[in-house]
Amino acid sequence: LIDFLVCPTCRHSINVKVKKKIREEIIEGKIICDHCKDNFKITNGIPRFVVDETKDFVKTEAAFSSKWQKHHKNHQAKDWVDFQRKWFLDRYGWKTVENFNKFLNSKNTILDAGTGIGNSAKFLSANKNAQVFALDASDSVDFAYKKYGKLSNVHFLQADLRQLPFKKSFFDYIYSDQVLHHTKNTGTSFKYLTKFLTTNGHISIYVYNKKAPVREYVDDYIRNKTVKMSVKDCTEFSKQMAYLGKSLSQLKKKIKIPYDIPLLGVKAGEYDVQRFVYWHFLKCFWDESDNLERSVGVNFDWYSPKFAFRHTPQEVKSWFKQTKLKITSFKEIESGDRLATQKEMEEWRKSFTQIVSSLVFTYKQLDMRPKAELVLADWLDKNPNDPVAQKLMEDLTKEEVRGKK
């Protein structure tokens, strides 16, 4: 892992002082920047890069640390992992594990930006030839490491996704699910992440959608109070909301709305009573498997963090336009907006391909075929699907074969 890292403060190279090591893994030590001399601890096998001490950031991460301290086991249980995987495949348009694994096979460096307790990192690690870097700013990363730390191609670190310890243009795939809206500014956090994509890289995100107006009003009213609560008090309130959700769910009743009610954000149709209240009026989650602790955790996740922003589809799409990303898949559901994109650099690549082609031609004219091959090989290493470069390399190879004959 250390070989891939840079100082998150000044982006220069780092050195490591090892205090404890088990085989090739550093368990305890210190990371020191060669340039600015900032230092970061390595404890329990995890590099710790979080340096933000502002009140609201600390409050948000403390909320998630508390949540996962209490609820990590039931969220690492097989039934929840299976549910999470199914939701993921549907939400991002992959449909099947086979389709997603085929996509992963084309990736070498993957960032799980907000891994929580590591379930997503495990899912992203299917391609054993790829390196998965899974980070979280909260202490949840310790539970992720304990559960999945032995996976050879997964590396856990505690870091802020707004201050990454990696070089720019490093990742083939960045995945950030239900995380960006818990940062100081969802839009700027997203734009920052895109700087770490390779030319042909992909990014998948999920952010909270704006709900019906009454639900938005109630959320703001309640959260204004709950974010100021102690962990104990907010947990108790979250339990009350879970029981309310359970009571509504146990009604097993449906209501029919004959007409759209635009002012309330309600569309005509048939609704389960609990889901109707949940999406239009009040967050009172109840897990369908009747898991109380898990239900409390989901409600706590909503009511405790200082940062929990909601966004319209139009707003989210504007971020992609501003960063020149091509949206390849978009899905709006009641809870949030899910997007999968590819970095849109076609015009730049065309221009650069022309430059590479000119260099190759020049080197050939000067009878410097090895240099031409080096230029092409380097370009194809970064852009393996460039048809012009592929044809140039094919022609060079044929010429070399003819020359030997």
Side-chain angles (χ1 to χ4, degrees):
L1 170 59
I2 296 299
D3 294 338
F4 299 99
L5 301 177
V6 298
C7 173
T9 307
C10 69
R11 320 213 55 74
H12 283 78
S13 59
I14 57 173
N15 274 309
V16 182
K17 288 185 177 180
V18 180
K19 291 183 180 179
K20 182 181 178 182
K21 194 174 183 180
I22 298 178
R23 291 182 290 278
E24 295 302 312
E25 187 168 9
I26 300 171
I27 305 301
E28 305 288 335
K30 183 183 288 187
I31 296 170
I32 304 169
C33 176
D34 294 330
H35 181 73
C36 71
K37 305 306 178 185
D38 276 3
N39 62 85
F40 311 91
K41 294 180 179 179
I42 302 174
T43 59
N44 299 320
I46 302 170
R48 316 281 178 170
F49 288 104
V50 176
V51 295
D52 193 337
E53 296 181 352
T54 56
K55 181 180 178 181
D56 289 346
F57 176 87
V58 171
K59 166 69 178 172
T60 298
E61 298 312 321
F64 287 108
S65 295
S66 298
K67 171 190 173 179
W68 295 123
Q69 175 72 36
K70 187 173 180 61
H71 301 290
H72 65 276
K73 288 185 178 179
N74 58 56
H75 279 77
Q76 287 177 334
K78 185 179 183 303
D79 66 323
W80 182 261
V81 172
D82 290 344
F83 165 78
Q84 195 178 36
R85 180 180 290 112
K86 183 178 181 299
W87 193 30
F88 165 84
L89 292 170
D90 177 64
R91 195 163 58 209
Y92 290 94
W94 298 111
K95 303 302 181 186
T96 67
V97 172
E98 290 74 22
N99 287 338
F100 183 57
N101 287 348
K102 185 178 179 181
F103 167 78
L104 289 178
N105 284 338
S106 67
K107 304 304 175 187
N108 297 309
T109 48
I110 299 169
L111 176 65
D112 184 4
T115 191
I117 51 175
N119 295 337
S120 50
K122 171 68 167 64
F123 196 33
L124 293 167
S125 70
N127 175 10
K128 300 307 177 184
N129 294 318
Q131 300 298 314
V132 179
F133 301 86
L135 65 85
D136 207 286
S138 77
D139 294 341
S140 64
V141 73
D142 287 282
F143 301 110
Y145 180 81
K146 287 176 183 176
K147 178 74 173 178
Y148 303 112
K150 291 184 179 180
L151 293 172
S152 61
N153 65 329
V154 177
H155 313 283
F156 291 103
L157 57 156
Q158 190 168 21
D160 181 359
L161 63 77
R162 290 172 62 92
Q163 196 171 8
L164 294 177
F166 300 101
K167 293 178 181 178
K168 301 288 179 66
S169 304
F170 180 67
F171 295 104
D172 297 321
Y173 182 45
I174 296 176
Y175 171 73
S176 189
D177 186 69
Q178 305 179 72
V179 178
L180 291 170
H181 45 239
H182 289 306
T183 64
K184 293 179 179 179
N185 184 303
T186 315
T188 59
S189 296
F190 168 76
K191 292 170 189 175
Y192 175 76
L193 277 183
T194 63
K195 295 177 181 179
F196 294 83
L197 277 177
T198 58
T199 301
N200 293 305
H202 289 76
I203 182 169
S204 299
I205 69 166
Y206 172 97
V207 295
Y208 286 150
N209 195 2
K210 275 194 178 292
K211 311 298 189 296
V214 176
R215 166 72 194 269
E216 283 290 317
Y217 175 83
V218 173
D219 280 339
D220 287 340
Y221 175 81
I222 296 177
R223 277 181 38 79
N224 185 51
K225 300 179 184 301
T226 56
V227 297
K228 299 170 186 174
M229 290 180 176
S230 65
V231 170
K232 180 180 178 182
D233 289 344
C234 192
T235 299
E236 181 57 33
F237 175 76
S238 299
K239 184 181 291 186
Q240 293 166 5
M241 291 298 97
Y243 279 127
L244 174 57
K246 180 180 181 180
S247 296
L248 290 169
S249 181
Q250 288 178 337
L251 291 175
K252 304 292 184 186
K253 298 290 185 182
K254 294 185 180 295
I255 58 172
K256 189 171 183 178
I257 309 298
Y259 305 105
D260 288 353
I261 312 174
L263 191 60
L264 296 181
V266 175
K267 293 183 179 180
E270 191 174 72
Y271 297 85
D272 173 82
V273 170
Q274 190 271 338
R275 302 314 287 168
F276 182 73
V277 172
Y278 182 89
W279 291 124
H280 298 94
F281 299 100
L282 177 70
K283 171 90 173 187
C284 50
F285 179 81
W286 179 251
D287 181 17
E288 293 178 0
S289 67
D290 287 338
N291 188 310
L292 174 61
E293 289 302 314
R294 192 177 293 160
S295 301
V296 174
V298 171
N299 287 321
F300 183 88
D301 186 287
W302 179 255
Y303 287 115
S304 184
K306 176 65 177 178
F307 301 129
F309 299 108
R310 288 89 74 190
H311 304 279
T312 64
Q314 293 73 24
E315 186 181 5
V316 175
K317 288 179 180 179
S318 73
W319 304 337
F320 290 83
K321 186 175 182 181
Q322 291 163 18
T323 50
K324 297 182 180 178
L325 290 173
K326 179 182 178 182
I327 297 175
T328 58
S329 178
F330 179 91
K331 185 173 184 180
E332 180 187 5
I333 57 178
E334 291 97 334
S335 57
D337 298 316
R338 182 276 311 155
L339 296 96
T341 69
Q342 181 172 14
K343 202 164 187 179
E344 191 175 48
M345 299 290 282
E346 291 304 324
E347 291 305 315
W348 181 86
R349 277 201 299 275
K350 286 177 184 176
S351 299
F352 210 86
T353 300
Q354 291 171 358
I355 295 171
V356 170
S357 301
S358 299
L359 277 171
V360 170
F361 177 78
T362 302
Y363 285 134
K364 284 171 65 180
Q365 293 296 103
L366 295 173
D367 199 23
M368 298 171 65
R369 188 187 310 279
K371 190 70 174 177
E373 290 175 348
L374 275 175
V375 170
L376 266 179
D378 184 62
W379 176 250
L380 280 169
D381 184 54
K382 297 179 177 64
N383 301 273
N385 298 317
D386 188 329
V388 177
Q390 288 174 345
K391 183 66 168 60
L392 282 170
M393 182 61 84
E394 184 181 322
D395 291 343
L396 273 177
T397 303
K398 286 179 180 177
E399 288 177 13
E400 186 177 2
V401 171
R402 282 199 299 268
K404 288 179 179 179
K405 288 181 179 179

